[in-house]
Amino acid sequence: MSLMNVNGKNYRAIWMEGTTVCMIEQNKLPFEFSIHYCKTIDDTCDAISTMITRGAGSIGAAGGYAMLQAILNSDDENLFQNLSNAKQKIDSTRPTAVNLSYATTRVLKAAETSKEFAIAEAHAVADECAEHGRLIGVYGNELIKDGFTIETHCNAGWLALVDYGSALSPIYAAHNSGKNIHVLVDETRPRSQGARLTAWELNQSGVPHTIIPDNAGAHYMSKGKVDIMIVGADRIAANGDTANKIGTLEKAIAAQYYGIPFYIAAPMSTIDLDTPNGKGIPIEERAEEEVTYSYGKDNKGNFHTILTASPGSKASNPAFDITPAELITGIITEKGIVKANIESIKKLFL
Ligand code: MRU
């Protein structure tokens, strides 16, 4: 049974019904809970790039399912060529989270054996993601003591990882094992994944939390109000350098200054051994309107997009930054907690 529970019903962030990819509509949260249906591979690609589904693990599952849609639409003769074309298209929807190409590569490779094997592989990518999130929770819970305040950035919960989550999974495990904890949720400009998604998830699960402005993390750390910081990852290079949501880097620098343990939580599918260090990780640049406009619901229930910056000014919107390995205390994976260096990371894969 999944951990994700909304209004008394268990869900996953993304799943398949027949040939349709179904996903929780994350752009409408926390205002509306609804399911978005992708009937074609183009619909699924669109849902990934517009962030209807988002977060490294859920993006990976979406990529695997989009490949499955390509399989179901292809004749046997041209299967491999059609799948290679589909992979290219899917991989280009979002460049930073390596889980996307991890999933499409797995399905493409499986197609070399048979169509049936490739279909099973697409489902396995999603199932493993959920299970790895659960195990990350088991290991990460050991780091959290009763009475701890945990700071987190962006959303690395059920929504981002099919189920359970990466950074939030240890928090759920700690809460469910009866520890008295509190979570400081960075709002995470410009898309507000913290204020909208993490806070909503924690609310659904009854985990005590407070949303803090993005620029308040160092302040709380300086006051001794943060015991540990746990964040997710979109890609971890072989040496431990980690790409995560923009703003992670400055939190890691502040955490080191104040002697606060700073952990990355991620499944091994987020580790990219082919990229030696953070310099090789592509950083997605998104539309400037995400910075200059804001979207929300008024008290009459109507949605609005409003300009919140100087009209006509240019804005820049890098979606991720790279935290150097030396700022990371450890990486929580489904196989245990390891140091952020090449030797420890490579040992995980033995
Ligand atoms: O741009 P997003 O919302 O897809 O960003 C990805 C993230 O959710 C975070 O960077 C997260 O911390 C890692 S994903 C489990």
Side-chain angles (χ1 to χ4, degrees):
M1 194 176 42
S2 53
L3 179 78
M4 181 171 193
N5 189 294
V6 183
N7 304 325
K9 197 171 165 206
N10 288 97
Y11 287 92
R12 279 187 169 188
I14 176 161
W15 67 96
M16 196 93 194
E17 282 175 16
T19 57
T20 302
V21 182
C22 314
M23 54 186 72
I24 291 175
E25 215 309 4
Q26 298 194 36
N27 285 331
K28 290 196 176 148
L29 288 172
F31 312 109
E32 277 179 25
F33 179 79
S34 62
I35 309 301
H36 180 80
Y37 297 95
C38 303
K39 291 202 161 53
T40 65
I41 176 174
D42 284 345
D43 294 344
T44 310
C45 286
D46 202 48
I48 300 171
S49 49
T50 58
M51 292 169 68
I52 289 171
T53 194
R54 48 144 297 286
S58 293
I59 289 174
Y65 287 147
M67 289 291 275
L68 202 159
Q69 288 179 310
I71 295 170
L72 298 174
N73 268 323
S74 173
D75 52 60
D76 286 352
E77 205 180 316
N78 299 309
L79 178 67
F80 200 75
Q81 189 52 51
N82 288 344
L83 273 188
S84 304
N85 296 344
K87 175 176 167 41
Q88 260 191 8
K89 181 182 197 158
I90 298 162
D91 288 354
S92 67
T93 53
R94 295 205 64 193
T96 303
V98 75
N99 299 62
L100 190 54
S101 59
Y102 163 86
T104 55
T105 303
R106 263 181 74 168
V107 178
L108 185 65
K109 235 172 164 316
E112 285 171 14
T113 308
S114 72
K115 209 168 178 168
E116 291 65 35
F117 194 49
I119 292 171
E121 197 71 346
H123 288 294
V125 167
D127 292 346
E128 286 170 22
C129 184
E131 172 60 8
H132 294 164
R134 188 186 70 77
L135 291 167
I136 286 168
V138 172
Y139 289 112
N141 185 11
E142 291 168 17
L143 300 169
I144 300 174
K145 296 201 178 84
D146 191 38
F148 260 25
T149 294
I150 306 124
E151 183 174 345
T152 192
H153 191 71
C154 196
N155 170 262
W158 332 307
L159 292 167
L161 223 86
V162 182
D163 197 8
Y164 287 90
S166 50
L168 292 193
S169 187
I171 289 169
Y172 290 129
H175 175 74
N176 292 337
S177 63
K179 291 177 193 168
N180 177 24
I181 57 167
H182 192 91
V183 185
L184 290 183
V185 180
D186 294 350
E187 61 175 342
T188 319
R189 288 272 304 146
R191 296 284 297 232
S192 301
Q193 288 96 331
R196 291 174 187 232
L197 305 178
T198 298
W200 177 80
E201 273 196 30
L202 295 173
N203 251 334
Q204 296 297 317
S205 308
V207 180
H209 63 280
T210 308
I211 300 166
I212 61 170
D214 268 347
N215 40 12
H219 166 77
Y220 282 104
M221 291 182 194
S222 77
K223 300 278 176 208
K225 298 258 168 75
V226 180
D227 296 297
I228 187 172
M229 179 141 195
I230 308 178
V231 301
D234 293 273
R235 191 185 301 220
I236 301 172
N239 73 339
D241 290 352
T242 295
N244 193 49
K245 183 52 58 192
I246 192 75
T248 302
L249 170 60
E250 60 186 36
K251 301 294 179 289
I253 294 169
Q256 186 171 73
Y257 185 82
Y258 290 108
I260 292 157
F262 182 92
Y263 281 90
I264 299 291
M268 285 161 62
S269 50
T270 303
I271 299 174
D272 178 8
L273 292 179
D274 294 334
T275 300
N277 58 52
K279 288 196 187 99
I281 301 178
I283 300 293
E284 177 182 8
E285 188 70 36
R286 293 187 62 87
E288 60 183 303
E289 288 74 18
E290 289 187 352
V291 177
T292 53
Y293 286 82
S294 208
Y295 169 76
K297 201 175 187 183
D298 67 20
N299 52 14
K300 293 198 179 89
N302 300 315
F303 284 98
H304 302 280
T305 299
I306 54 165
L307 182 64
T308 55
S310 152
S313 292
K314 288 256 159 247
S316 166
N317 186 12
F320 302 94
D321 56 27
I322 310 288
T323 299
E326 60 262 34
L327 297 180
I328 298 167
T329 312
I331 303 173
I332 312 166
T333 75
E334 68 271 27
K335 281 204 190 166
I337 302 171
V338 295
K339 293 238 170 298
N341 61 46
I342 192 153
E343 296 77 24
S344 311
I345 289 174
K346 280 203 165 151
K347 265 194 210 143
L348 275 176
F349 289 87
L350 294 178

